Amino acid sequence: MLVIVSAIGGAIWGGYLARRRRGNHLYILQYAVASAIAFGLVALFATIVLSRVLG
């Protein structure tokens, strides 16, 4: 659940950054996808660490 929420949040954040930099549609899409992957991976590792520590 945390991974999905983080990926969606990363996509929104990346799209916002690219739009603020006045990028075209493909630039915005690229930033959104890259940020979603990055945020999702960070959340995945955090979830793994938390499950190992707490469980």
Side-chain angles (χ1 to χ4, degrees):
M1 185 73 175
L2 182 64
V3 176
I4 295 170
V5 171
S6 295
I8 292 171
I12 292 170
W13 178 253
Y16 170 74
L17 285 178
R19 182 175 275 248
R20 197 173 74 187
R21 294 178 184 176
R22 299 181 190 260
N24 61 11
H25 294 294
L26 290 178
Y27 184 73
I28 293 170
L29 180 65
Q30 179 185 2
Y31 246 73
V33 170
S35 296
I37 291 171
F39 277 51
L41 281 175
V42 169
L44 177 67
F45 288 128
T47 302
I48 291 170
V49 169
L50 284 175
S51 69
R52 298 273 183 182
V53 169
L54 298 177

